[in-house]
Amino acid sequence: MAQPLVKKDDDRDDEAEYSPFLGIEKGAVLQEARVFNDPQLDPRRCSQVITKLLYLLNQGETFTKIEATEVFFAVTKLFQSRDIGLRRMVYLMIKELSPSADEVIIVTSSLMKDMTSKTDMYRANAIRVLCRITDGTLLTQIERYLKQAIVDKNPVVASAALVSGIHLLETTPEIVKRWSNEVQEAVQSRAALVQFHALALLHQIRQNDRLAVSKLVTSLTRGTVRSPLAQCLLIRYTTQVIREAATTQTGDRPFYDFLESCLRHKAEMVIFEAARAITELNGVTNRELTPAITVLQLFLSSSKPVLRFAAVRTLNKVAMTHPMAVTNCNIDMESLISDQNRSIATLAITTLLKTGNESSVDRLMKQITNFMSDIADEFKIVVVEAIRSLCLKFPLKYRSLMNFLSNILREEGGFEYKKAIVDSIVILIRDIPDAKENGLLHLCEFIEDCEFTYLSTQILHFLGTEGPKTSDPSKYIRYIYNRVHLENATVRAAAVSTLAKFGAMVDALKPRVFVLLRRCLYDGDDEVRDRATLYLNTVGSDGEVIETDKVVKDFLFGSLDIPLANIETSLKNYEPAEQPFDINSVPKEVKTQPLAEKKAPGKKPAGLGAPPSGPPSTVDAYEKLLSSIPEFSDFGKLFKSSAPVELTEAETEYAVNVVKHIFDRHVVFQYNCTNTIPEQLLENVTVIVDASEAEEFAEVASKPLRSLPYDSPGQIFGAFEKPEGVPAVGKFSNMLRFIVKEVDPTTGDVEDDGVEDEYQLEDLEVVAADYVMKVGVSNFRNAWESIGPDFERVDEYGLGPRESLAEAVSAVISLLGMQPCEGTEVVANNSRSHTCLLSGVFIGNVKVLVRLQFGIDGPKEVAMKLAVRSEDDNVSDMIHEIVASG
Amino acid sequence: MDTCPSIKNILLLDSEGKRVAVKYYSNDWPTNSAKEAFEKAVFTKTQKTNARTEAEIAMLEGNVIVYKFVQDLHFFVTGGEDENELILATVLQGFFDAVGLLLRGNVDKKEALENLDLILLCLDEIVDGGYATCYSFILLINFDC
């Protein structure tokens, strides 16, 4: 600010590697810092020493507490000097050292003096330093000066005060909020910078007050904002207001005209901000989009890479939801494929792949082939994913796209890239039946020369599942058996399993496969030999052409029906004992995914690889708890435990929630109670349950709580009998009854006499969804076909007006309480129809699969077609009943 | 999206990727080794590109990075994934121009190190805490020099 430091002489020798900091050493510099204590200060020398100290800090050197304190005290001496350059370095040094509260006092008076100085540069910098190191108490002392500074006629001082205000708002909001009037005045400043900072601060002060923000936006969009940065801020605030207003109003979108007018601003920064804001509007229409797309299209041919990148990145996002709106830019986009900047080229390619139509696919693929060889793996993965979704969109084009994938599969590349390609081929094989044989052969060729054990084993496993179902399974045998000769033990073992699968599934191949398997008995590795022996003995029939027993097939190759994560935890918990490990003791419930999953909505499910692992199950914990209570020990195996349901409002005297445990013939309610009053002790706590609205239930046992002290949760149980295997539903009203005793919170003494009291809890319902367990399937189509149409029930339902398709889908999912499969719970933005696949197990261990097809029409009326397949027609009907009554 | 534009860091590296001066405004890289690893990744990724006439742009670890090279100095400005790229480019240009003025047109590593005090003051004033961007880069040009 003010004047720059005197620039140093350039009369040193021009050595190539010369650096003023060559051989610099912390200890020596700290010694040098003693010059700060000289009675006759040499400002230039002091400046140099501070620069050295800052250099050390900047290079990652750290000072010990003692060193920092010493330097700090020495630096404070430098306030005596009147040299402006030195003073600036002193300010910087103090900020870097971030002194502790008791040290701050030393410099406070010097800084406060500077804050009221006549020199603008002193005022501005002193404000910044003081606000950075100060605490609340000091702030009240200097508040008056800060308010003055905000409206200071020097823009640097005003900006310094405003920015400091933004920082202080985090620690001491109550003080900064008192400055509203001054900040409001600063918003009108003629200086661009002041206006920008004032607007930022004003918005932060008011951000929780919707009405105030709306007023601010309304007044400013009419006036003139000079600073482009401030204009960008205003655009962001405006979109916020639009977002919040959209839910309450209909008709013309408010402020759209303002955004549109910003597209004609003279600063590119503002134009882009407005264009991006328009594309991100909720439910944006094509008419609203057009002007924004037009300016972005102009940016595509700019000479500045940053502009091209910004534009293509935004258009890429638009293409996901409004591909048609972007097609106008396709010609400009195609010329970007050869852009020097590979990020721009990749974004252009993937945009084109999204907007392309069936006829342009072939031409596009030709261009991409040239492009693929000179980009990095991370970009290639993006391209592969885009091609996969293109192929799913135009299944007829699978041949050229599959060829492309197999070509790039043969080229050099790292693991992640190869995995992305293999995953894509697997998904195409699964979803496009015509592509199956072709794709399987490509995968076979790939494992002939694959350096990644993980991919080889995954492909072998996939071949074992899909290969036997093709028209000529025998042609895969050669590829598989080659693995037994040429690979490491892990791959050999996987190949043996795959061979056995062919033998078991294709009766005609059995004799030949047996010959091969017998050779594997001489393998050098235990696992390979063991597998071969197991299969030879179980698939059986001595290799004759006889159908393999279904039980054997199920045992060897059937799916486990148990989430792998659950079996993993169960195995970890299993302690070697006389009792063998019981697979039936593993909980089947799929745990809800942790929130981290939300980060990637709409992501395609991976083709290969294990299902995502859930957090450790709490079912174990519940089961242990319940089996430890003698009254419930003969209820049998726990079928399902619900998530806790709150029975009290938040922040009431007693917090109670309930977990519903479902058994075959019983239901157990576990009331988790917490006493939130320190002055009370509750004794003999019971829950009085009125089951008059739940006719099929009869109370059989209850377990009260002897005492419930402050803030230590306790459990009360109530058990009900119900007809076996029937999903009985009903409503229960609950009353907490207890004896209150006064407690002196300071001493902890309890009074002897108590008073009986009651506390009404909210009602509790047992619903049909409580009898359905979330159990996922790895391949829905296979599972759907293997259950067969015997007990299929199909019907259509009108769901009435809904807020959105996504809302309707999630409502039905939670109503049924089933596990969504293959990521179908995610509804693409703005889509008019959606198919959702659910799976679960009904009480009595009946597997249920559900296919939901949703459609939405103009006035948000949602219709749904529900198809259920299960192993029991009663259960299929039951699912329909749940939907019909829900 | 954060409503206030924010800068995560400004880096000035030499032609081997070593630090000349850096300033971090966000806590995404809490330790010095995390910072150094990020600088190395940025440098390697951008090394082969030609950013001498126009500012270039790249994405790395969920950040947008705009950069420009002159002589043996590499200038970088990092912002969040959703940041307006043109605002980042403006900050970069501001920093770049300011350094050019402070070093009186002799922009290279040797001059930068000899006038490191000026560069550090410049970094301090361009962005204040990453929160309010461009604290005074306009000032540096209009006011300071």
Side-chain angles (χ1 to χ4, degrees):
Chain A
M1 306 184 186
Q3 298 120 30
L5 283 178
V6 183
K7 204 159 160 286
K8 281 163 206 148
D9 313 329
D10 295 335
D11 57 1
R12 291 204 182 88
D13 291 341
D14 263 353
E15 278 176 66
E17 273 304 302
Y18 172 76
S19 156
F21 303 106
L22 206 62
I24 189 169
E25 205 257 318
K26 184 170 86 169
V29 180
L30 289 173
Q31 289 286 321
E32 275 187 76
R34 292 192 175 159
V35 297
F36 299 163
N37 295 319
D38 280 355
Q40 288 297 313
L41 282 176
D42 175 356
R44 179 139 163 242
R45 175 131 171 72
C46 290
S47 268
Q48 280 170 355
V49 175
I50 292 184
T51 309
K52 282 186 190 170
L53 289 167
L54 288 171
Y55 174 80
L56 286 172
L57 288 172
N58 209 270
Q59 294 293 323
E61 184 77 72
T62 48
F63 293 162
T64 64
K65 184 82 193 78
I66 295 169
E67 287 166 347
T69 309
E70 268 177 22
V71 170
F72 175 74
F73 279 114
V75 165
T76 57
K77 302 260 167 55
L78 300 177
F79 273 103
Q80 292 170 34
S81 167
R82 303 234 143 257
D83 186 283
I84 289 182
L86 178 59
R87 184 67 60 88
R88 290 178 75 188
M89 296 307 283
V90 169
Y91 292 137
L92 197 52
M93 194 68 213
I94 293 176
K95 273 200 280 188
E96 285 294 327
L97 289 172
S98 46
S100 60
D102 49 333
E103 293 168 348
V104 168
I105 301 165
I106 311 290
V107 282
T108 314
S109 60
S110 303
L111 287 169
M112 280 169 69
K113 209 174 119 213
D114 282 358
M115 252 179 86
T116 51
S117 151
K118 289 223 161 29
T119 318
D120 293 337
M121 194 279 292
Y122 282 178
R123 284 213 304 283
N125 266 319
I127 289 171
R128 292 179 62 202
V129 177
L130 206 50
C131 290
R132 182 57 63 86
I133 61 178
T134 190
D135 57 7
T137 48
L138 186 61
L139 197 59
T140 42
Q141 288 181 46
I142 59 169
E143 190 185 353
R144 188 162 60 90
Y145 302 110
L146 287 174
K147 277 170 141 178
Q148 257 169 35
I150 289 174
V151 289
D152 197 293
K153 63 181 185 308
N154 183 311
V156 185
V157 177
S159 263
L162 288 163
V163 174
S164 301
I166 296 176
H167 292 309
L168 288 171
L169 201 57
E170 280 174 33
T171 50
T172 47
E174 66 287 350
I175 294 181
V176 181
K177 281 182 179 159
R178 295 201 291 251
W179 307 348
S180 278
N181 287 338
E182 285 78 10
V183 179
Q184 193 128 32
E185 198 179 323
V187 172
Q188 305 303 327
S189 163
R190 302 190 66 80
L193 198 68
V194 177
Q195 193 174 44
F196 166 53
H197 291 140
L199 183 55
L201 179 54
L202 193 60
H203 178 259
Q204 293 215 346
I205 291 176
R206 296 184 176 171
Q207 62 184 346
N208 294 324
D209 182 352
R210 267 193 207 184
L211 197 66
V213 173
S214 173
K215 268 189 195 161
L216 177 70
V217 167
T218 313
S219 71
L220 285 174
T221 48
R222 285 199 208 112
T224 47
V225 176
R226 280 172 208 88
S227 146
L229 280 169
Q231 189 83 356
C232 286
L233 279 188
L234 186 56
I235 291 171
R236 291 184 190 185
Y237 302 156
T238 309
T239 52
Q240 221 176 9
V241 172
I242 294 177
R243 228 187 347 261
E244 279 155 10
T247 52
T248 53
Q249 290 175 6
T250 46
D252 264 3
R253 207 189 286 276
F255 299 114
Y256 174 78
D257 291 341
F258 165 71
L259 292 181
E260 208 253 356
S261 73
C262 289
L263 295 173
R264 293 184 294 275
H265 198 275
K266 58 184 183 303
E268 283 165 343
M269 184 198 290
V270 177
I271 302 177
F272 175 67
E273 186 76 42
R276 191 172 68 162
I278 291 177
T279 64
E280 284 171 0
L281 289 176
N282 255 340
V284 64
T285 63
N286 276 333
R287 200 166 55 90
E288 287 170 322
L289 263 180
T290 313
I293 301 282
T294 312
V295 297
L296 290 173
Q297 187 177 3
L298 286 176
F299 284 175
L300 286 180
S301 44
S302 158
S303 63
K304 293 182 190 157
V306 175
L307 262 182
R308 296 199 299 272
F309 177 88
V312 77
R313 190 155 77 115
T314 309
L315 289 170
N316 189 299
K317 280 203 197 112
V318 179
M320 289 183 200
T321 49
H322 296 80
M324 291 315 289
V326 185
T327 43
N328 281 343
C329 310
N330 276 5
I331 295 176
D332 305 83
M333 207 70 90
E334 276 183 36
S335 61
L336 290 183
I337 295 179
S338 52
D339 199 292
Q340 286 280 313
N341 185 320
R342 303 326 277 167
S343 308
I344 296 178
T346 312
L347 284 167
I349 287 264
T350 50
T351 314
L352 284 167
L353 288 174
K354 281 175 203 144
T355 58
N357 49 31
E358 201 148 356
S359 58
S360 67
V361 168
D362 290 318
R363 190 164 48 93
L364 208 54
M365 295 316 292
K366 212 171 276 171
Q367 276 172 307
I368 297 175
T369 314
N370 301 329
F371 161 86
M372 283 303 267
S373 54
D374 55 33
I375 55 170
D377 270 11
E378 52 175 316
F379 293 139
K380 289 181 183 166
I381 293 174
V382 179
V383 174
V384 167
E385 277 165 5
I387 287 180
R388 177 174 72 205
S389 39
L390 183 72
C391 194
L392 292 176
K393 199 161 111 197
F394 303 123
L396 288 177
K397 286 285 164 194
Y398 80 87
R399 206 174 290 274
S400 66
L401 294 167
M402 188 68 99
N403 273 340
F404 175 82
L405 289 176
S406 72
N407 280 338
I408 54 172
L409 192 54
R410 259 179 255 133
E411 281 159 21
E412 286 296 299
F415 173 72
E416 290 297 331
Y417 172 44
K418 289 287 164 81
K419 183 166 179 297
I421 305 174
V422 171
D423 282 351
S424 298
I425 296 184
V426 167
I427 287 174
L428 297 186
I429 291 175
R430 207 186 57 200
D431 289 1
I432 307 173
D434 289 342
K436 187 190 266 184
E437 305 227 346
N438 193 345
L440 284 179
L441 276 178
H442 286 312
L443 290 179
C444 283
E445 272 166 35
F446 173 61
I447 54 171
E448 290 276 82
D449 185 23
C450 170
E451 54 185 312
F452 306 109
T453 301
Y454 175 83
L455 289 180
S456 292
T457 52
Q458 296 289 316
I459 290 175
L460 283 168
H461 174 78
F462 185 68
L463 269 177
T465 333
E466 297 292 333
K469 293 186 220 153
T470 55
S471 59
D472 181 13
S474 65
K475 65 181 168 194
Y476 303 106
I477 300 289
R478 180 172 64 86
Y479 295 102
I480 300 165
Y481 188 61
N482 278 347
R483 301 300 101 220
V484 181
H485 283 304
L486 303 167
E487 294 279 359
N488 61 42
T490 314
V491 180
R492 290 204 305 274
V496 167
S497 297
T498 308
L499 276 180
K501 262 184 225 174
F502 275 82
M505 313 292 264
V506 187
D507 302 324
L509 284 178
K510 198 180 277 180
R512 286 147 75 190
V513 166
F514 264 63
V515 174
L516 298 176
L517 282 180
R518 281 201 195 95
R519 288 192 200 159
C520 300
L521 290 174
Y522 303 103
D523 194 280
D525 184 79
D526 292 351
E527 175 72 19
V528 181
R529 285 198 308 273
D530 287 355
R531 285 198 189 191
T533 315
L534 170 72
Y535 293 129
L536 281 170
N537 286 308
T538 46
V539 176
S541 336
D542 285 332
E544 284 168 39
V545 187
I546 296 175
E547 192 178 349
T548 313
D549 195 6
K550 186 170 182 308
V551 180
V552 173
K553 271 193 212 169
D554 279 351
F555 166 66
L556 288 177
F557 310 118
S559 74
L560 274 176
D561 281 343
I562 298 170
L564 287 182
N566 294 6
I567 203 168
E568 188 183 338
T569 35
S570 296
L571 281 171
K572 275 185 189 153
N573 293 338
Y574 174 71
E575 280 162 20
E578 291 289 299
Q579 196 92 26
F581 180 76
D582 181 8
I583 193 110
N584 292 322
S585 69
V586 181
K588 288 184 176 177
E589 183 100 0
V590 178
K591 285 283 120 191
T592 31
Q593 291 301 310
L595 284 172
E597 283 284 299
K598 276 199 173 163
K599 277 176 81 180
K603 242 192 171 169
K604 279 268 159 194
L608 293 172
S613 56
S617 85
T618 53
V619 176
D620 288 352
Y622 283 142
E623 200 158 14
K624 221 171 251 172
L625 179 72
L626 291 172
S627 61
S628 69
I629 300 170
E631 287 92 329
F632 309 146
S633 56
D634 58 347
F635 285 3
K637 190 172 150 40
L638 177 60
F639 176 74
K640 178 185 174 175
S641 299
S642 74
V645 181
E646 297 296 333
L647 295 183
T648 50
E649 306 264 325
E651 294 169 32
T652 46
E653 298 97 307
Y654 315 110
V656 181
N657 66 38
V658 67
V659 177
K660 297 174 270 184
H661 301 290
I662 311 287
F663 291 87
D664 218 25
R665 281 170 42 227
H666 298 89
V667 175
V668 174
F669 298 137
Q670 173 187 341
Y671 297 93
N672 299 312
C673 311
T674 314
N675 169 11
T676 62
I677 307 177
E679 295 83 11
Q680 284 191 0
L681 170 73
L682 308 188
E683 288 191 346
N684 290 342
V685 192
T686 52
V687 177
I688 310 297
V689 185
D690 174 9
S692 55
E693 287 182 67
E695 287 158 7
E696 289 176 280
F697 295 85
E699 184 158 6
V700 288
S702 73
K703 194 168 176 298
L705 198 59
R706 177 121 3 117
S707 92
L708 183 65
Y710 165 64
D711 205 24
S712 67
Q715 290 109 17
I716 303 168
F717 294 92
F720 289 81
E721 199 169 24
K722 66 169 193 62
E724 182 168 356
V726 172
V729 297
K731 197 182 206 177
F732 301 81
S733 59
N734 308 290
M735 174 87 80
L736 202 61
R737 184 171 293 168
F738 45 80
I739 294 167
V740 188
K741 290 189 173 173
E742 297 275 316
V743 179
D744 186 339
T746 46
T747 59
D749 293 340
V750 183
E751 279 187 25
D752 291 336
D753 296 328
V755 190
E756 190 160 312
D757 201 358
E758 287 180 348
Y759 190 81
Q760 183 69 44
L761 303 174
E762 281 174 33
D763 292 349
L764 153 73
E765 272 189 275
V766 173
V767 294
D770 288 330
Y771 297 100
V772 187
M773 189 155 54
K774 288 184 176 181
V775 176
V777 290
S778 53
N779 186 331
F780 190 86
R781 182 190 286 241
N782 280 358
W784 182 259
E785 274 159 18
S786 74
I787 283 191
D790 299 353
F791 301 118
E792 178 168 323
R793 294 283 182 279
V794 185
D795 208 348
E796 286 179 15
Y797 298 89
L799 301 183
R802 290 282 173 164
E803 197 146 287
S804 69
L805 201 53
E807 189 263 333
V809 171
S810 67
V812 176
I813 293 176
S814 66
L815 178 66
L816 289 175
M818 294 172 74
Q819 174 72 21
C821 300
E822 300 174 12
T824 52
E825 74 273 30
V826 182
V827 181
N829 236 347
N830 289 332
S831 60
R832 314 289 302 163
S833 64
H834 184 72
T835 301
C836 179
L837 310 172
L838 304 174
S839 90
V841 168
F842 208 72
I843 192 159
N845 245 346
V846 183
K847 198 192 262 179
V848 187
L849 297 172
V850 168
R851 183 187 304 207
L852 297 164
Q853 283 160 303
F854 293 86
I856 190 166
D857 71 356
K860 311 224 160 184
E861 289 281 338
V862 177
M864 173 179 81
K865 185 175 166 189
L866 169 70
V868 186
R869 284 189 181 185
S870 77
E871 294 154 345
D872 182 336
D873 58 347
N874 283 327
V875 172
S876 300
D877 290 337
M878 215 89 80
I879 297 288
H880 275 283
E881 256 168 51
I882 297 177
V883 175
S885 60
Chain B
M1 184 174 56
D2 215 3
T3 40
C4 200
S6 71
I7 305 289
K8 290 194 179 179
N9 63 44
I10 297 183
L11 313 174
L12 181 57
L13 307 179
D14 72 5
S15 54
E16 286 160 12
K18 289 209 196 73
R19 263 182 210 171
V20 175
V22 297
K23 181 97 183 159
Y24 284 80
Y25 309 99
S26 87
N27 292 326
D28 292 10
W29 303 274
T31 62
N32 189 49
S33 47
K35 292 184 172 92
E36 278 174 348
F38 178 75
E39 286 157 32
K40 189 160 184 283
V42 170
F43 182 79
T44 330
K45 193 178 164 93
T46 57
Q47 195 180 9
K48 290 195 188 105
T49 52
N50 178 13
R52 291 186 183 271
T53 45
E54 288 286 357
E56 275 288 350
I57 184 161
M59 301 266 311
L60 182 73
E61 299 166 11
N63 293 304
V64 177
I65 299 154
V66 291
Y67 56 100
K68 200 165 181 179
F69 304 156
V70 64
Q71 301 281 3
D72 51 359
L73 284 179
H74 294 200
F75 295 74
F76 301 91
V77 171
T78 309
E81 191 171 24
D82 292 326
E83 198 42 81
N84 182 332
E85 292 89 340
L86 303 183
I87 292 183
L88 298 178
T90 315
V91 176
L92 176 71
Q93 194 62 41
F95 180 45
F96 187 84
D97 290 348
V99 170
L101 287 164
L102 292 168
L103 302 182
R104 297 184 181 164
N106 304 320
V107 184
D108 61 24
K109 182 187 174 188
K110 178 170 163 290
E111 279 292 317
L113 282 175
E114 277 175 6
N115 297 285
L116 192 71
D117 46 354
L118 299 181
I119 308 261
L120 291 173
L121 285 171
C122 175
L123 278 176
D124 173 55
E125 290 173 5
I126 268 197
V127 175
D128 192 333
Y131 233 104
T133 47
C134 325
Y135 169 64
S136 54
F137 69 89
I138 303 167
L139 298 180
L140 271 166
I141 301 157
N142 297 343
F143 212 83
D144 205 89
C145 308

